[in-house]
Amino acid sequence: MSLDFLSQKYESLDYDQCENYYFLLEQRQQQRNLNILRNKGFKRWIVILFIGILTALTACGIVIATDKLASYKFHFLMTKMNQCDNSSFCYTPLFYWMGINATLVAIGSIMVTYWAPVAAGSGIPVVKCYLNGVKVPEVVRFKTFVSKAVGVIFSVVGGLATGKEGPMIHCGAVIAAGVSQGKSTTFKKDTHLLDEFKDDREKRDFVSAGAAAGVAAAFGAPIGGVLFSLEEGASFWNQALTWRIFFCSMITTFTLNIVLSIYHNHAGQLSYPGLINFGKFGEINYAIYEIPIYAFLGAIGGILGALHNSINLRLSMIRLKYINRNWSKVAESVFISIFTCSIAYSLIYLDEDCHKKELLSLNETIRAGCKESEFSVMSYLWLATPEATISRLFHSDDDMWTWKTLLIFFVCYFFLATWTYGISVSSGLFIPSLIVGATGGRLFYLLVKHTLPDESDWADGCKFALIGAAAMLGGVVRMTISLTVIMIETTGNITFGPPIMITLIVSKWVGDYFNHESIYDIHIRLAAIPFLYWEPPSLSTTVYASEIMSAPVVALRSVEKVDRIIQVLENETHNGFPVVDTEEFDFTESGSSLEPSYSSPAHYGRFRGLILRWQLIVLLQEKIFNENDEYHKITAGTFRDAYPRYPPIEKIINLITDQERQYSIDLRPVMNPSPYSMSHTASLNRIFQLFRALGLRHLVIVNDYNEVVGIVTRKDIARYRQHCHRGKLFLQTLQISV
Amino acid sequence: MSLDFLSQKYESLDYDQCENYYFLLEQRQQQRNLNILRNKGFKRWIVILFIGILTALTACGIVIATDKLASYKFHFLMTKMNQCDNSSFCYTPLFYWMGINATLVAIGSIMVTYWAPVAAGSGIPVVKCYLNGVKVPEVVRFKTFVSKAVGVIFSVVGGLATGKEGPMIHCGAVIAAGVSQGKSTTFKKDTHLLDEFKDDREKRDFVSAGAAAGVAAAFGAPIGGVLFSLEEGASFWNQALTWRIFFCSMITTFTLNIVLSIYHNHAGQLSYPGLINFGKFGEINYAIYEIPIYAFLGAIGGILGALHNSINLRLSMIRLKYINRNWSKVAESVFISIFTCSIAYSLIYLDEDCHKKELLSLNETIRAGCKESEFSVMSYLWLATPEATISRLFHSDDDMWTWKTLLIFFVCYFFLATWTYGISVSSGLFIPSLIVGATGGRLFYLLVKHTLPDESDWADGCKFALIGAAAMLGGVVRMTISLTVIMIETTGNITFGPPIMITLIVSKWVGDYFNHESIYDIHIRLAAIPFLYWEPPSLSTTVYASEIMSAPVVALRSVEKVDRIIQVLENETHNGFPVVDTEEFDFTESGSSLEPSYSSPAHYGRFRGLILRWQLIVLLQEKIFNENDEYHKITAGTFRDAYPRYPPIEKIINLITDQERQYSIDLRPVMNPSPYSMSHTASLNRIFQLFRALGLRHLVIVNDYNEVVGIVTRKDIARYRQHCHRGKLFLQTLQISV
């Protein structure tokens, strides 16, 4: 099976403003009036405030629900396990465990698979795509939000090797999109309060704030949130926007901390250390000779991360090929959940590593073959939510751990995490990567400690657990500055920032040596999404616009027959049509594409503007024909009301009478009169930069006489990837073979 | 006196790549070869490494020199003061003090004023302009670097109310520019090792890394550095670039910490708290009811910051008008230095606030009228480097301070700081703002503590000193996220991050209510620099390209006579010339501007490309004429060698014989064949976004037939500012009345 890289499923978003007559008219009426401007600015802050608060409340809901449910589940299981005979393997609790997990994961998976498939996975790839300018269907819909938020509770409590951080980020993005539009498609309700924010660009800005709020909520990391939003999403850094994003993620952090401080019975004490996600690290000392060790761990993390991504890519391709029915997706999720708890249960009973029960807080452990007053270390790792496991790996004493237990746990969790990411449940991968890394870090520490001649206190294991976690996560997600800040903020320790940075830098370098894509980029590629990376492929200077553009172009005349517009809309799937001068051409009324009137080079009329499909549909729907002379009825609002979903052309046709089909429409006041255009001699490099920097959806290619010769869309550009063969680089159109 | 906003002094930089024939040829030859690409990537990292290390070493030099010299100076003065009779006012030490300060400041000021005037002030505004795309003359020259680095030692040791942080950032930028080019104009030496980085865009990327390294060095804040570079400089956020910037600032931090740990006799202990700039804050607790107090302090900071900026603006305008001779600039600096130490000396002796000499470390204080075993609190504030003063305000016990002393110091330092910034010495304003703010914060704490019924431990003064410092600095520089991170990194405390954020957000809001510009923006405006802000003025949708463009345009034909090229270069100051089709026009050989051949609308030929002044000069210099047929001699390197300074046309004319003047040149292989162009119907808004996002220098405006009708440069756009009158907005061309 070979998927064409350009999946037809994905449309593009348009971050370039259409400055048509009605838009300019509205702007001119409004903009001299300072009050309207101030009002808009004020509304924007209010919307941001609500996004921040709602994201925090959602996150609180997820955190508290997960916490409570997991706690019930583990207590129930522990009671059952403690009822067992201590000497022999006991099956009853395992069946209970399997039953509970399978049920929970089944519910979560059914919800995602049947109701909102886009809610599967972490959500970070789709948010990235949205900010990049790709319209992944249903990505910011209310039902996606519900599946994502509720689904992640089921998958985490259901014992899968997943985290809730990615889904929280996606939830933040959906909240932002919903709140900023003041309307919901699912509820068919439009408050019309926020009509001025109804365009792709405004919505994108709010969504980037929502994503930042999501990170802030997931990790308690407001600055990390802003950086995440910028590193993964933004193309044009705007100070005012950053400023709002920052405010949003700060509001989220505050709201979250206030609610959680009440939940933890420390109401209002915002500096209560329990609010720090993975437990607060105290003073960590380090000396210069430790730096190479951190770099080494970073390298190991990079290798493991690359391995993780590579295995996951192969698994995902197998999934694409064989597990493509809904029931099989649910079945796989349920199978993994059962498998996970079987592994966990076996390890708890088979691994004989026991530890003295000194700490009172360890009530979430069981004996499982250990002596009285001891507990199984494996149960300490498995019988907890993934976040608690991280906290335990980070903060417990060094004498808790033996290399055997850590090694077994490390290997099992690595493969579980690799296998789990990509199944049809709402699931994040930050937490599993951190668990694997922290275990690896502790393991490394134990090995080094044993090989060193004197077992002196040259360092402590907590430090290495943290470094290991950073290294592994860095190798998997390949983020740099935002990840550094997130790690610093979640551990509440800044002194140890530089070692974390070193680790992450080396980890990314080494990971990139093996494969250039982060796990998110892999899934974006697998979904065949026309994503534009930061930089054009370096060979793109060798390709000309004339080679990448689509031609022939379907152009409309500035005053066009209704009949032809309907035909064009019916026969063509394009979203934008160049408008050309009427005088010079004699169109055959029947044909949808224009024949060039000069022999060479082929062109389609003098370029005057660009009109979008939905604008044409609105014109037809409102029956704005020259013969009716009702242009005065249109305002900028007429077009905005249709945003973001316009009716398909099939619904409109029935409204148009045969008489009306002979009418004509003047497209000039509606079209964008000064869209960006490029000469046919421009290189792909130049076109790429224009698209990326300005968030374009279409670019018309003109010849030296300003006559339309082609049109370039995002897909035409995203198609070009670079590959390397025997030290030589080639540009090619990417295909994915499954 | 009225300065035109468009000072002729500033040229623009060109961040848009010229994709001419030779560039594409080179790219194609190189880019299929992976080794060359890898080599370039590798070189880039090496350059970044050197920038990081050299910036750190420079910073170490400045820090250690300042520290040592200030320590000698204060010990000398204290010895002199202690020799005085304790009961009466004693003039000898004052004269010594004045003498030392005046001498040091005079040297620093002369250096700056006569040798490198651009080194005056903090350097942040000029670095901002450089990154924005304005070529401030000599801003990245070696002599500027020396004036800046050495000058700041003199001004800080000379007792002015200045810091060394801004200059360090500028130093980082100069180092980056120098190292990345592998050549120095001052030393007339070109190593030719880094020829591939010789264009404005590559250089800008390195300079942004250098600026980040500067911040990292100044504050020990690597993440803050990256954010500073992005917030103040970048327009297009590129992940790969950010990643290098991050590496650079991290290398700087490490190098700095290693050298300073040796200087502090803690070699290699990178977690030694003495490395944290303003002293490490321990655990700081806060509760939710304190948040409104922080917000209130933020508001006060915003008001004071706005006041500071407003007074400084007025003072700077007075300076522009009256203090414009070099000797008067030096005289003002010397006068301020004498005035500052007179104030300090008077306060030390007149203020009778004494404190018990409990701490052994207080050897930098004197009795000055106090009893045996006591010291003057004023001397504790004044007899130290500004950074030490901050550390003392942040960390000393609450019982050290009385409201009277704090109030007097606060008022004096506020006005000294306001007066000092803008004089002709190398001086930063972060530190003075922090001192003023920290004093204000302590003062506020004392007042509140006294008014509260019970004097219980509801909070401590250190916390308020920190919040006050953040509030004041936020009000002055109006930075948001980068400042938050810098404050967190310099205090080594992350728990207290959210209150700092709140304070900075409120401070910026309140400050922006009074005046919209940061102190840096004020100085950029005063220098009449064509700076492009983040967003176009909102009224810019009402202005069309045809209104802002310059016309008539001097165009060149694709094959042009040498004689006409020379004439055009002699008579016109433009830096870019559109190249138009030859066939359609009959140029009069004598005229430098073209007469339109159609009656209406006026146009200057069919647009084919854009050629830059220096490209023409290189062509003339190399005698590349059609009649010589030596086009094969040119490579991309021919043009790069001339970067960034080409000879003036006057030097070239003598090389061209009369015979050669009759020759012609084919401009097509050299011109940029696909420059960005815009329709005459485009709005200013659209043109602004194109300029800002892509870093353009010229934009050719064409009519519907792709004929050149005008040209827009950065100055044409930067000219438009918005002002508000009676609730209505207007667009106007800005003029500064002095």
Side-chain angles (χ1 to χ4, degrees), chain A residues 125-138:
Chain A
V126 287
V127 172
K128 252 180 101 156
C129 290
Y130 186 91
L131 296 176
N132 192 267
V134 184
K135 194 172 187 171
V136 179
E138 304 196 332

Side-chain angles (χ1 to χ4, degrees), chain A residues 144-161:
Chain A
T144 309
F145 170 74
V146 174
S147 301
K148 202 91 207 180
V150 179
V152 77
I153 299 175
F154 284 112
S155 41
V156 172
V157 180
L160 291 176

Side-chain angles (χ1 to χ4, degrees), chain A residues 17 19 31-32 34 237-239 268 288 534-535 538 676 678 683 685-686 704 706 727-729, chain B residues 17 19 31-32 34 237-239 268 288 534-535 538 608 676 678 683 685-686 704 706 727-729:
Chain A
Q17 266 165 344
E19 294 194 331
Q31 286 185 337
R32 290 210 185 268
L34 200 59
W237 164 294
N238 176 313
Q239 201 177 26
I288 192 165
W534 292 101
E535 291 192 357
S538 61
Y676 298 107
M678 260 289 169
S683 70
N685 180 47
R686 190 161 278 264
D704 288 339
N706 201 32
K728 297 274 178 194
L729 284 173
Chain B
Q17 265 165 345
E19 293 193 333
Q31 286 183 338
R32 291 212 183 266
L34 198 61
W237 164 295
N238 177 313
Q239 202 179 23
I288 193 164
W534 293 99
E535 290 191 358
S538 61
R608 298 304 298 265
Y676 299 106
M678 261 290 171
S683 71
N685 181 45
R686 193 161 276 264
D704 289 338
N706 200 32
K728 297 271 179 197
L729 283 173

Side-chain angles (χ1 to χ4, degrees), chain B residues 291-400:
Chain B
I291 301 295
I293 306 175
Y294 300 142
F296 177 73
L297 273 174
I300 304 275
I303 294 170
L304 287 175
L307 182 67
H308 172 280
N309 291 1
S310 171
I311 297 175
N312 189 272
L313 171 64
R314 275 156 189 75
L315 282 174
S316 301
M317 278 158 73
I318 293 171
R319 262 184 207 126
L320 269 181
K321 201 168 175 182
Y322 297 106
I323 310 180
N324 37 29
R325 304 253 179 92
N326 281 345
W327 65 264
S328 62
K329 288 179 184 173
V330 175
E332 192 198 7
S333 311
V334 172
F335 176 74
I336 291 182
S337 83
I338 292 174
F339 186 79
T340 305
C341 69
S342 315
I343 291 274
Y345 195 78
S346 319
L347 288 182
I348 289 172
Y349 278 89
L350 299 182
D351 188 65
E352 288 167 355
D353 184 11
C354 296
H355 194 78
K356 273 206 184 124
K357 203 163 188 162
E358 288 157 340
L359 304 166
L360 287 173
S361 65
L362 297 184
N363 53 0
E364 289 194 359
T365 51
I366 52 160
R367 278 177 63 191
C370 292
K371 282 181 283 186
E372 194 78 44
S373 86
E374 285 193 344
F375 67 90
S376 149
V377 177
M378 273 293 178
S379 77
Y380 187 56
L381 288 171
W382 284 109
L383 288 175
T385 57
E387 282 195 318
T389 308
I390 291 184
S391 194
R392 289 169 183 190
L393 282 164
F394 277 175
H395 297 290
S396 51
D397 293 337
D398 286 344
D399 62 354
M400 172 84 85

